[in-house]
Amino acid sequence: MRDILKISSLENDQLKFFSKLKKKKYREEAKLFLAEGRKFLEYSENASYVLFREDIPIEETILEKFNCPIISLSSKCFEKVSVQENSQGVIILYSYKNIVLSRDARQLIILDDIQDPGNLGTIIRLVDASGFSDIILTKNSVDYYNEKVVRSSMGSIFHVNLHTMEKIEIVDYLKKQQYNIVVTSLQEDSIPYMEMSLDERNAFVFGNEGHGVSKEFLEIADEKVIIPISGQAESLNVAMALGILLFYSRDLKRVLE
């Protein structure tokens, strides 16, 4: 049987520490992030703590997979850490992944100042589902360890490599590594995405929800592409656009190979 610690006081120092991790500043200091929901019981690697509400039964066989402290929290204590209204009563704290950007990555996703955590979580899930693995975010993008991002990724955050860089660093990297740079844009010289050309190494750039892709990336684009809209919709959500483009490019690469 696993030893289970119990916390029932709101003044407990460890509880206060867990609660602070809802803020980016403290996540970065501790190199820990929160993942809430029973779904995350499937992921034991890099887990630092398993927290569960005292009224939530968790099978012993599941807990045995975790090589970290298991802590039972009273309902009031759990509420202090939880970020969900209708929580499933399980929160797992994970260590940050130490990832180095591989120079061998043939397909990169560049996210330019993405702000909405739900969008980013969905994007991570789509990148995983389409068989890609590396995402670079600009410094002004939402923190990918934000609890809403983690939750909406549905576990895919553990399957993709996430990096954050300054725009100028990204531009320099793409040029030095000779990526074919495909930028989504509504400009006059944009072509339908079905006509894009792919190379051995491609970087797909997606822009901010309100302002699109910034000029730094537009200036170095090898191709600017657009997703034609046939109906009355004004535009597509960035995650939807990314899904269309990545699945198409994946299948196109297979045909070309």
Side-chain angles (χ1 to χ4, degrees):
M1 292 284 290
R2 288 297 304 272
D3 290 332
I4 297 178
L5 306 175
K6 294 186 178 182
I7 297 178
S8 57
S9 170
L10 293 175
E11 299 305 313
N12 182 280
D13 288 339
Q14 197 167 32
L15 180 71
K16 291 178 180 179
F17 167 71
F18 295 150
S19 182
K20 283 182 177 181
L21 296 176
K22 290 186 281 187
K23 294 183 178 180
K24 180 180 179 180
K25 171 187 174 182
Y26 296 108
R27 286 197 297 271
E28 291 186 339
E29 286 179 0
K31 302 298 181 187
L32 293 172
F33 67 96
L34 301 167
E36 185 164 359
R38 293 190 69 91
K39 170 72 178 176
F40 293 98
L41 289 171
E42 299 173 17
Y43 303 95
S44 58
E45 188 175 353
N46 292 326
S48 295
Y49 297 93
V50 175
L51 314 179
F52 66 94
R53 200 173 61 224
E54 59 186 356
D55 62 322
I56 299 296
I58 300 180
E59 296 85 348
E60 180 69 21
T61 53
I62 293 177
L63 295 181
E64 287 294 340
K65 295 188 302 180
F66 289 87
N67 185 27
C68 64
I70 311 294
I71 302 177
S72 170
L73 303 179
S74 68
S75 294
K76 286 186 178 181
C77 289
F78 189 86
E79 286 176 11
K80 190 167 182 178
V81 185
S82 174
V83 295
Q84 297 183 26
E85 288 186 12
N86 298 306
S87 177
Q88 296 177 333
V90 176
I91 298 173
I92 300 175
L93 277 61
Y94 292 96
S95 301
Y96 277 25
K97 291 196 293 183
N98 184 22
I99 299 171
V100 177
L101 184 59
S102 171
R103 295 182 183 275
D104 296 326
R106 294 191 174 187
Q107 317 296 326
L108 292 178
I109 313 303
I110 312 298
L111 301 180
D112 183 13
D113 292 357
I114 296 295
Q115 297 299 303
D116 184 86
N119 272 343
L120 180 53
T122 301
I123 285 170
I124 291 170
R125 196 172 173 187
L126 284 166
V127 169
D128 182 20
S130 57
F132 291 76
S133 59
D134 287 89
I135 301 174
I136 303 178
L137 298 95
T138 57
K139 286 281 188 180
N140 290 329
S141 296
V142 63
D143 177 23
Y144 50 77
Y145 286 132
N146 175 295
E147 62 275 359
K148 292 180 181 177
V149 175
V150 175
R151 183 170 70 252
S152 55
S153 80
M154 292 295 290
S156 285
I157 194 166
F158 300 114
H159 303 148
V160 299
N161 302 321
L162 294 151
H163 318 270
T164 300
M165 298 166 64
E166 296 284 359
K167 289 182 186 181
I168 190 170
E169 291 180 286
I170 299 173
V171 168
D172 184 58
Y173 181 81
L174 296 180
K175 291 168 72 175
K176 283 184 176 179
Q177 299 301 315
Q178 299 182 322
Y179 279 92
N180 173 50
I181 302 167
V182 180
V183 173
T184 54
S185 171
L186 298 176
Q187 296 198 343
E188 290 183 4
D189 57 344
S190 295
I191 62 173
Y193 73 96
M194 302 84 74
E195 299 175 14
M196 68 180 174
S197 301
L198 296 183
D199 209 332
E200 284 298 311
R201 294 159 68 81
N202 303 285
F204 302 91
V205 185
F206 299 88
N208 172 271
E209 291 90 341
H211 306 293
V213 176
S214 56
K215 62 181 180 64
E216 289 92 336
F217 295 111
L218 290 171
E219 289 173 354
I220 64 168
D222 292 300
E223 284 188 330
K224 300 169 191 170
V225 300
I226 187 173
I227 298 175
I229 294 176
S230 301
Q232 300 301 310
E234 186 176 313
S235 63
L236 293 177
N237 171 284
V238 63
M240 295 172 64
L242 179 142
I244 292 170
L245 201 61
L246 292 197
F247 277 96
Y248 179 80
S249 65
R250 180 197 67 181
D251 293 341
L252 180 59
K253 284 283 290 180
R254 287 175 178 171
V255 171
L256 294 175
E257 290 171 353

